[in-house]
Amino acid sequence: MNEKSCSFHNEKESRDGQVENVSAGHSSPYGKDSGALLAFRGIPISELKNHSILWALTTETNGWVPSVTSTEVLRAQEEWEAVDNIQPETGSQASSDQPVQLISFGEALQHFQTVDLSSFKKRIQPTIRRTGLAALRHCLFGPPKLHQGLREERDLVLTIAQCGLDSQDPLHGRVLQTIYKKLTGSKFDCALYGDHWEDLGFQGANPATDLRGAGFLALLHLLYLVMDSKTLLMAQEIFRLSRHHIQQFPFCLMSVNITRIAIQALREECLSRECNRQQKVISVVNSFYAATFLHLAHIWRTQQKTISDSGFVLKDVELLAKKSPRRLLKTLESYLAGVSKGQASLLGTQKCYEPQAPHSKDLTFTGVCDLPPHSSEGTWLI
């Protein structure tokens, strides 16, 4: 028998001796059960069951019957029994095995390229319908029409914007989990419903309720922003700005509004010239979304805007974005080039964002969807 075994048996005999001495008639001013408690208090609860001590203290054994059942004895017994009955917390996140794997923008896009979206495609209106002088003016002075070979890609973008968030679709859940983890730095999965989404800048516990007017395209844009290594730092920087103790704004809800602007710019053919030049639609729309979000954040930071200015800022940004999309794209290119070289960002120094403020349910936010056409007056977002 080795030294460890001897040590264990000696310790066991010593502890068992303590119990036997107690049950043989150890006396104290507080009664027999008080001496028993003093004997087992120094023993870890994990060994009480192994040495039959807990059973000996609560039932008749070796001729010793406790006169009064101590509350501490009962508490110890309940604590041990609870150890065997502890179950992992499930919550609304179904999987309790491996963490949900992050998903790339390309993988999520491929899903929509392969599934049947015919029922959603019927709802889209690819271009704005103009009549009278507006149609003539657009024909003479407006942007060029999108090349025929790019129209299917444009329709896919608009179709995704008609799709809602399906909590039963595993891919949709992966998109949400990826956005959450990338923005917060968390390594763990989160529930698909809960107050933690408000911390990211949604209006409630269910992100699906805030996708009005942008559909799942709004989530794809957020996914693009956080999964592209070139724009991740920008996304995190804007996210920190959104949590500024004075200039805070709902980050994800603001992003949804930027997606709405991108959809309108695409339908009004404001992006056609750039799409024709690059012979792409999706990548142009993604870059336009990122550039517009960057421009809004720059205005928000440098002009000290607050949540009460949201409607006016969004309207001004929308007008500029539609009028000069190429200008915004150039600004984005310059910003990303500067960040890659470690230069100061367009949003200012990081220390200006501290301390971070928790999301407030009292914030009143005006979105693009709530602004009447050709008006600078906003109505409150419901």
Side-chain angles (χ1 to χ4, degrees):
M1 184 179 298
N2 57 31
E3 294 180 0
K4 292 184 178 179
S5 299
C6 291
S7 175
F8 173 77
H9 283 287
N10 291 338
E11 183 182 355
K12 182 178 186 299
E13 291 173 1
S14 174
R15 290 175 179 171
D16 290 346
Q18 282 183 310
V19 178
E20 290 174 1
N21 291 336
V22 169
S23 60
H26 177 84
S27 62
S28 75
Y30 302 101
K32 294 181 179 179
D33 58 328
S34 177
L37 290 175
L38 293 175
F40 84 83
R41 277 178 180 169
I43 303 175
I45 192 171
S46 60
E47 295 190 20
L48 293 181
K49 188 173 183 180
N50 294 336
H51 296 171
S52 302
I53 295 173
L54 188 60
W55 180 78
L57 292 176
T58 55
T59 61
E60 182 177 356
T61 180
N62 297 327
W64 175 66
V65 181
S67 57
V68 179
T69 303
S70 168
T71 57
E72 293 193 44
V73 173
L74 293 177
R75 187 181 301 112
Q77 184 180 19
E78 291 171 357
E79 183 179 347
W80 173 255
E81 292 174 350
V83 171
D84 288 336
N85 295 325
I86 290 176
Q87 299 294 331
E89 185 177 355
T90 55
S92 58
Q93 182 61 33
S95 175
S96 59
D97 299 325
Q98 296 297 326
V100 171
Q101 185 179 6
L102 299 183
I103 185 172
S104 67
F105 175 84
E107 184 181 352
L109 178 62
Q110 186 178 20
H111 168 79
F112 286 99
Q113 290 173 326
T114 54
V115 298
D116 182 15
L117 300 177
S118 56
S119 59
F120 298 102
K121 190 174 182 178
K122 295 176 181 178
R123 308 176 189 173
I124 69 171
Q125 185 180 345
T127 57
I128 296 295
R129 296 173 183 173
R130 298 177 176 86
T131 58
L133 292 177
L136 179 61
R137 182 169 57 252
H138 181 76
C139 181
L140 295 176
F141 308 107
K145 290 186 176 297
L146 189 67
H147 290 170
Q148 184 69 35
L150 298 176
R151 293 179 184 178
E152 183 177 351
E153 190 177 351
R154 173 201 62 191
D155 292 351
L156 174 63
V157 173
L158 298 177
T159 300
I160 295 174
Q162 293 293 324
C163 301
L165 173 62
D166 183 2
S167 60
Q168 303 302 316
D169 190 323
L171 181 133
H172 290 208
R174 287 178 63 195
V175 170
L176 280 177
Q177 296 285 0
T178 300
I179 293 170
Y180 180 83
K181 290 178 181 179
K182 282 292 188 177
L183 286 176
T184 63
S186 173
K187 302 296 183 183
F188 304 100
D189 294 340
C190 63
L192 296 183
Y193 305 99
D195 293 343
H196 50 279
W197 294 113
E198 296 182 28
D199 296 334
L200 260 64
F202 287 103
Q203 287 190 117
N206 182 6
T209 60
D210 288 332
L211 304 183
R212 180 168 55 95
F216 203 85
L217 183 64
L219 295 181
L220 280 189
H221 276 167
L222 275 171
L223 182 66
Y224 160 78
L225 205 63
V226 300
M227 287 302 288
D228 191 307
S229 59
K230 297 179 295 184
T231 57
L232 174 59
L233 292 177
M234 183 187 86
Q236 293 171 337
E237 190 175 6
I238 299 176
F239 183 58
R240 285 192 293 270
L241 173 62
S242 74
R243 296 171 64 82
H244 189 275
H245 64 290
I246 296 176
Q247 293 184 266
Q248 60 177 314
F249 60 86
F251 175 83
C252 287
L253 192 58
M254 187 71 82
S255 174
V256 172
N257 277 271
I258 302 299
T259 298
R260 292 169 181 161
I261 292 175
I263 292 171
Q264 285 302 106
L266 182 63
R267 293 181 64 239
E268 294 177 20
E269 301 177 285
C270 302
L271 305 180
S272 295
R273 179 175 282 105
E274 191 63 26
C275 290
N276 292 341
R277 188 181 72 83
Q278 297 189 26
Q279 285 299 295
K280 298 175 183 178
V281 174
I282 294 176
S283 63
V284 170
V285 173
N286 288 347
S287 297
F288 177 80
Y289 155 82
T292 305
F293 208 170
L294 175 66
H295 179 64
L296 180 141
H298 179 61
I299 291 177
W300 200 275
R301 172 69 185 90
T302 57
Q303 298 183 18
Q304 302 296 308
K305 299 299 183 180
T306 64
I307 194 65
S308 61
D309 304 311
S310 57
F312 304 105
V313 173
L314 278 168
K315 194 64 180 177
D316 291 342
V317 167
E318 179 181 9
L319 292 175
L320 176 63
K322 292 178 179 179
K323 181 180 180 181
S324 307
R326 182 60 181 162
R327 173 183 168 186
L328 291 186
L329 292 174
K330 285 289 187 182
T331 302
L332 176 66
E333 291 176 6
S334 300
Y335 170 83
L336 296 178
V339 170
S340 64
K341 296 177 182 178
Q343 299 175 358
S345 87
L346 295 177
L347 301 183
T349 57
Q350 300 298 333
K351 64 181 180 180
C352 294
Y353 302 136
E354 301 294 342
Q356 291 183 349
H359 176 77
S360 172
K361 294 183 178 181
D362 298 328
L363 294 179
T364 307
F365 179 78
T366 307
V368 171
C369 240
D370 307 280
L371 294 173
H374 310 297
S375 171
S376 60
E377 296 294 329
T379 54
W380 301 125
L381 184 63
I382 298 176

